[in-house]
Amino acid sequence: GFVYGRVSSPTVAQLQDKLAALEGGEAALCFGSGVAAAHALICGRLGRGDHLIVPDANYVGIAELARDTLPRFGIEVSYVDVSRPEEVAAAIRPNTRMLWLETPANPTLRMTDIAAAAAAARRHSNAPLVAVDNTFMGPTFQHPLSHQADLAVYSATKFLSGLSDMLAGVILGRD
Ligand SMILES: *Cc1c(COP(=O)(O)O)cnc(C)c1O
């Protein structure tokens, strides 16, 4: 229940319900920033010995998380041109637990076909979770969950909130 604000509150619960409705997801979880959402998702699902694929060009805060922080905790990271499905397929290992996409990417605006990248990852028996940073398009213009992604992630600091009025992040997906 609503016993403590960090766990949940009626205000945050309403926001999560509205964001899930906008995205077409079953559920949403809000965080204090977009990088906090990404960190919670990656570290909540991956641990020592697991492998993560990230784009070779993506948002600096998440690129720094992948480069500087995750390897210290034993998470292996590969940097891949995720706009090329054949490179995604070639990068998958038996211990790959997550494919991270960002499209359009910040700041290069490189586009990735979400469904094609997800399909390339899922050709393998131990299919990784597919998470898409959808910050740039927002839920008005692109719904990663309807393009075979498992999770949509936002910096709500950006277009979702009107840009720089606040800091927030959100993860959306199945309940
Ligand atoms: C800004 C941004 C983030 C990080 O969000 P913060 O709310 O600043 O932590 C993540 N992804 C993209 C694409 C961004 O533009």
Side-chain angles (χ1 to χ4, degrees), residues 33-36 59 62 102 106 133 135-136 154-158 167-169:
S33 74
V35 169
Y59 178 69
I62 295 172
E102 184 183 313
N106 178 5
D133 184 336
T135 298
F136 261 35
Y154 289 93
S155 167
T157 314
K158 309 290 171 55
L167 272 166

Side-chain angles (χ1 to χ4, degrees), residues 40-61:
L41 176 58
I42 294 168
C43 290
R45 301 305 296 258
L46 276 69
R48 175 168 298 282
D50 290 335
H51 176 233
L52 168 72
I53 297 174
V54 296
D56 58 359
N58 70 334
Y59 178 69
V60 60

